Amino acid sequence: EIAAYFYFWFWFGACVYKTKDSLRSISAIIFIGAMWVMMKGTIREMAYVMFLLAVSIQIVRVWKMPEKVKNGLERIAKYSFGIYVFHHLILWDVIHVDIVSKYVLPLCETHYILTPIVMFIVAFGLSYILTGLSLQTKVGKYLLS
């Protein structure tokens, strides 16, 4: 039932990527920002995503990144699909595997701000490591590249 929802966002991302050059102007940012403020529902969500993307493009165009930062971002971009795949498995296990969830879920109720931050760091770090290890195998290269 949620496949159509995720496919829609995949399709939307592909369309935005095809027209990414049009998001480089300040007038596009203003127009998308106005849509985000005035619209409701899915159109508002789409405008929000496009607004963040347009602002990010402007920041990248203006900011000259140090080489280490650029290399780190390129490696994360290379690992992005693997990170996407593994983070779902890791976070699903945290909630659905009893031996883990009996410790983590009470923490979520008590520390509802700190726990998501820690879980993001843990899930991202583990996903990054698992993707790096997976890409060293033929099967991993086939599935994650």
Side-chain angles (χ1 to χ4, degrees), residues 59-67 69-70:
I59 290 171
V60 169
R61 284 179 61 199
V62 173
W63 182 46
K64 302 296 181 205
M65 286 185 265
E67 198 62 34
V69 173
K70 187 175 182 180

Side-chain angles (χ1 to χ4, degrees), residues 106-121:
L107 286 174
C108 291
E109 293 172 3
T110 307
H111 305 286
Y112 51 88
I113 294 174
L114 186 59
T115 304
I117 295 169
V118 171
M119 288 307 303
F120 166 77
I121 293 168

Side-chain angles (χ1 to χ4, degrees), residues 91-118:
L91 294 176
W92 189 89
D93 287 346
V94 166
I95 293 177
H96 292 94
V97 174
D98 290 333
I99 197 164
V100 180
S101 67
K102 71 180 179 181
Y103 296 108
V104 174
L105 291 179
L107 286 174
C108 291
E109 293 172 3
T110 307
H111 305 286
Y112 51 88
I113 294 174
L114 186 59
T115 304
I117 295 169
V118 171

Side-chain angles (χ1 to χ4, degrees), residues 70-140:
K70 187 175 182 180
N71 291 339
L73 290 176
E74 286 175 359
R75 181 167 289 230
I76 290 172
K78 178 182 173 188
Y79 286 11
S80 63
F81 184 66
I83 292 169
Y84 171 75
V85 169
F86 285 120
H87 96 274
H88 281 288
L89 297 172
I90 291 167
L91 294 176
W92 189 89
D93 287 346
V94 166
I95 293 177
H96 292 94
V97 174
D98 290 333
I99 197 164
V100 180
S101 67
K102 71 180 179 181
Y103 296 108
V104 174
L105 291 179
L107 286 174
C108 291
E109 293 172 3
T110 307
H111 305 286
Y112 51 88
I113 294 174
L114 186 59
T115 304
I117 295 169
V118 171
M119 288 307 303
F120 166 77
I121 293 168
V122 169
F124 182 79
L126 284 175
S127 299
Y128 183 86
I129 292 168
L130 289 172
T131 302
L133 293 173
S134 297
L135 288 176
Q136 293 177 1
T137 66
K138 288 182 181 180
V139 174

